[in-house]
Amino acid sequence: MAPLLAPSLLAADFGNLQAEVERLATSAADWLHYDVMDGRFVPNISFGPGILQAVHRHAKQPFDVHLMIEEPQNYLAAFRDAGAAGLTVHYEACPHLHRVVQQIKNLGCRAGVALNPHTPVSLLEDIAADLDVVLIMSVNPGFGGQTFIPNTLRKVADLKELLVDCGSSALIEVDGGVTIDNATALVEAGADVLVAGSFVFNSPEGPVATLANMRAHLTATIGAQEQGKG
């Protein structure tokens, strides 16, 4: 399966978010990644449900909402009502993770759990079968533009093995420092969804052309590898 591309609006022009989501409407983006930061779980503050509701009406792709916040269970319904198709909470922020995952599912959203770089994938063994998405942070959460952590490739491969063993159909999503240079290796390791922020929005070609180039690159490299296996 071709990987899904999810440009992160954290790297977009905050003063022109409507224009940003409108020009992504005809791009190769499959999801729009929406990072929520509270200044407590991570040392930064981004945007909340009000902004999501405002830009959702101008978007064509579903919103993948990543909650980098404390006590996310108190805000799930607000983000669903604002337009979230998927809600991802952090393992590290949820002492009652199973309850929160079920709350997300009961809201009719795709349920995801994110892991910080230091958190082992083995901790998801008892809940993997309940998940729709596992988000591997390939940088420390809180700021865009960070450098990709190389150990992520091994972590993605370990997660893929765990999901297969648990009979889970959860998608593996990777967020942080993703570029055209490491995208193929991530997909080979088992990634299904690639989140890219600075690489997409800060490129000289612009986000639409960059996403198209990324899609073409992945199609060509993965297709060639599959032919080689055949």
Side-chain angles (χ1 to χ4, degrees):
M1 182 184 76
L4 303 177
L5 300 182
S8 173
L9 295 180
L10 187 65
D13 180 355
F14 282 12
N16 293 285
L17 281 178
Q18 176 181 337
E20 296 278 49
V21 299
E22 286 178 340
R23 69 170 168 167
L24 289 171
T26 57
S27 74
D30 299 289
W31 297 351
L32 298 182
H33 192 75
Y34 189 86
D35 287 306
V36 181
M37 305 178 185
D38 62 357
R40 295 173 60 208
F41 182 71
V42 293
N44 199 3
I45 297 174
S46 60
F47 23 50
I51 300 298
L52 176 60
Q53 185 176 38
V55 297
H56 176 260
R57 66 176 66 100
H58 303 287
K60 297 298 182 185
Q61 295 91 341
F63 273 90
D64 175 41
V65 176
H66 177 195
L67 298 175
M68 290 177 271
I69 63 176
E70 299 283 354
E71 301 177 343
Q73 65 275 9
N74 296 334
Y75 305 94
L76 299 174
F79 280 103
R80 188 280 309 272
D81 292 345
L87 290 166
T88 295
V89 299
H90 268 262
Y91 174 91
E92 302 84 1
C94 296
H96 304 290
L97 184 60
H98 182 270
R99 180 186 301 163
V100 177
V101 168
Q102 297 309 311
Q103 186 179 348
I104 295 172
K105 287 181 170 288
N106 290 337
L107 288 169
C109 292
R110 185 175 55 245
V113 170
L115 299 179
N116 280 342
H118 73 283
T119 305
V121 299
S122 59
L123 293 174
L124 295 180
E125 182 177 355
D126 291 329
I127 199 170
D130 296 314
L131 302 179
D132 300 307
V133 176
V134 178
L135 173 56
I136 298 295
M137 292 301 301
S138 42
V139 298
N140 288 291
F143 297 94
Q146 299 183 66
T147 302
F148 179 82
I149 297 173
N151 185 58
T152 302
L153 292 171
R154 180 196 60 79
K155 193 170 184 179
V156 169
D158 290 346
L159 174 59
K160 184 67 174 181
E161 183 177 353
L162 182 148
L163 294 177
V164 171
D165 290 344
C166 294
S168 173
S169 59
L171 298 176
I172 298 175
E173 185 172 8
V174 180
D175 181 6
V178 174
T179 71
I180 201 167
D181 295 325
N182 55 30
T184 299
L186 284 167
V187 174
E188 289 174 345
D192 303 295
V193 185
L194 302 178
V195 177
S198 299
F199 174 73
V200 169
F201 287 99
N202 296 343
S203 66
E205 298 82 7
V208 174
T210 300
L211 287 165
N213 291 338
M214 198 170 186
R215 170 70 71 210
H217 172 77
L218 287 167
T219 300
T221 56
I222 295 170
Q225 289 166 0
E226 290 178 349
Q227 285 184 344
K229 293 176 182 178

